[in-house]
Amino acid sequence: MKQIRSGQSFLYRTNGYDSTVVEVRMRDKVAGSCLQAALTNVARRFPYLTQKLVEKGGAYYLHRDDNSMVAVKTDKFRTLGSMATGYHLMDVTFTENCIRVAFHHGLCDGRGVMPFIETLLYDYCCRKYHQKFSTEGIRLPGEDIPEAETAEPFFRELYPVDESAVRKVETDGYALPESTSTPEACYHTEIMLDESAFVHAARAVGATPTLFAAMLISHCVRQLHPQAEKPVICNLAMDLRSAIGQEQTHRNCVGSAYLPYTAEDEKLAPAEMARKYRELLAEQRDPNAVKAALNKQIGLFNKLDELHSLEEKRKLMSFFNGMVNNTYVISYMGRLRLNDYARYVESAHFFSDMICGLTVNMIAAAGKLSFEVLQGFQETKYVESIAKALAPYGLLWTTATEQVVTGKDKSFVTAGHQAERYYAKPESI
């Protein structure tokens, strides 16, 4: 067994943590037998994603799970870490034309689960359509698994950092009046764009798709709240792997870049705003700045290791419960690699449950770029404003706002039972 370091902030939540789901919509009806065969085969290539949690002395460990992964036809999301999923922290289900992969952030992040999804879709399409498709960039069963894929980015030792060179970043953003630390539900709306049209528009002003999205959404929020005295801040999920030389790791390695937007910024031309955001992002992606941010997390995890009970650790990490990121969050998972079987995929979607505030998730597949607007409050003005701002850039459709429930995991209960089963002692692990 191996103790978890990265991802610990998702393991000590009250009553579990909500699953994150990647939903891939196929053009044809999903063949359950083909999906199950593909899942069984692909699980051999990603054994580190088929593990379960064991908790002992308040510490969480990943342990081999001998239960097979089973793809079930259901429109409900099964409870991760429970008997229903064989205690796995990842689950694959399907409906008529959708393949859904649910995962626990304590196991991996979006970048970490993406290769699994790509290999699963490749294998499934080969079986479903009786063809051999391109394997370019696909991790295949039977290959050697590089140690780099399971590397731990959060050591106990701090990274060497030149603190004097770390620029202070504006993080105190305007709080949306509707945001609450105790949301009653999560409301989900999808806005679908033509990916090439949006990317072309972003490049025309010198922006990446995520920076262009931040520019548009921050402008929408400012227009809705012109009285805001604090800047509207986009908390942009930022992959930290390259800065620490851990490009292949599946483990959680995500931080936040902070992109403020003020009344003065509204006067800037789009190209000027894009340049400003590029510079801000480059500063926060600098390896020295990234390592300084990682050191804060390492310091927190080291404090966790000094505590000896689950109750103590949950108390220390309780500030994560109901945390609201002002003003809003953007998380871009990237583009699914589909090669020459992209024609069988309609679109991909990326969402979770119980958002405390406003979050916009983005994922690209089969030439489409989805914006999943998630709110911890029932209010239409943000969705309407964002959809209107995106409309000129290849709008394909917008769905009605619906409540989404992905469900919390049960590992906070079952992991302790697994420890009793294996009689694991931390000092012997």
Side-chain angles (χ1 to χ4, degrees), residues 51-233:
Q51 296 174 311
K52 61 184 173 183
L53 281 179
V54 173
E55 178 267 315
K56 187 70 173 178
Y60 283 99
Y61 302 85
L62 287 170
H63 190 283
R64 186 187 72 252
D65 191 339
D66 293 326
N67 293 305
S68 299
M69 295 195 70
V70 180
V72 174
K73 184 177 181 180
T74 175
D75 59 358
K76 305 293 184 183
F77 296 109
R78 301 193 297 171
T79 303
L80 298 182
S82 72
M83 187 180 296
T85 58
Y87 306 107
H88 293 291
L89 299 176
M90 184 173 66
D91 190 36
V92 177
T93 58
F94 66 100
T95 58
E96 287 299 308
N97 72 320
C98 293
I99 297 173
R100 292 167 156 180
V101 178
F103 66 95
H104 192 299
H105 259 292
L107 177 68
C108 61
D109 57 17
R111 169 88 179 271
V113 79
M114 186 80 92
F116 171 89
I117 297 172
E118 292 170 341
T119 305
L120 181 67
L121 291 173
Y122 162 78
D123 197 307
Y124 169 77
C125 286
C126 287
R127 296 173 190 273
K128 164 77 172 176
Y129 300 104
H130 307 289
Q131 296 183 49
K132 285 294 183 181
F133 296 103
S134 169
T135 61
E136 182 181 357
I138 302 298
R139 299 179 186 179
L140 300 173
E143 295 177 340
D144 291 335
I145 303 174
E147 290 186 8
E149 288 186 21
T150 57
E152 174 57 69
F154 292 89
F155 308 103
R156 284 178 171 79
E157 297 77 23
L158 299 179
Y159 287 99
V161 170
D162 179 3
E163 294 288 350
S164 65
V166 179
R167 178 177 170 180
K168 182 176 174 56
V169 179
E170 178 67 69
T171 61
D172 185 17
Y174 173 71
L176 298 179
E178 299 88 355
S179 293
T180 173
S181 61
T182 55
E184 296 181 0
C186 179
Y187 299 94
H188 173 215
T189 312
E190 66 182 50
I191 303 171
M192 190 63 58
L193 302 183
D194 178 272
E195 184 189 13
S196 62
F198 189 79
V199 170
H200 178 77
R203 288 177 176 171
V205 297
T208 63
T210 47
L211 291 184
F212 194 49
M215 291 163 55
L216 294 172
I217 296 171
S218 291
H219 178 72
C220 290
V221 176
R222 281 281 327 168
Q223 290 294 302
L224 291 171
H225 299 284
Q227 80 290 351
E229 295 182 358
K230 292 182 179 180
V232 169
I233 291 184

Side-chain angles (χ1 to χ4, degrees), residues 10 13 28 79 144 154 178 186 195 214-215 236 238 256 278 286 315 335 349 368 374 422:
F10 303 101
R13 305 297 179 91
D28 301 322
T79 303
D144 291 335
F154 292 89
E178 299 88 355
C186 179
E195 184 189 13
M215 291 163 55
L236 182 65
M238 180 172 60
S256 288
R278 286 199 313 272
D286 178 78
K315 184 177 180 180
R335 179 190 294 115
H349 307 266
K368 299 181 181 68
L374 302 166
Y422 294 105

Side-chain angles (χ1 to χ4, degrees), residues 25 27 191-200 332 334-339 341-348 363-371 393-397:
R25 296 178 191 164
R27 293 188 179 276
I191 303 171
M192 190 63 58
L193 302 183
D194 178 272
E195 184 189 13
S196 62
F198 189 79
V199 170
H200 178 77
Y332 180 43
R335 179 190 294 115
L336 274 175
R337 181 186 291 275
L338 297 173
N339 296 340
Y341 45 97
R343 62 185 181 274
Y344 298 112
V345 175
E346 174 62 37
S347 60
I363 186 171
K368 299 181 181 68
L369 177 62
S370 74
F371 285 72
Y393 309 108
L395 181 68
L396 297 175
W397 71 77

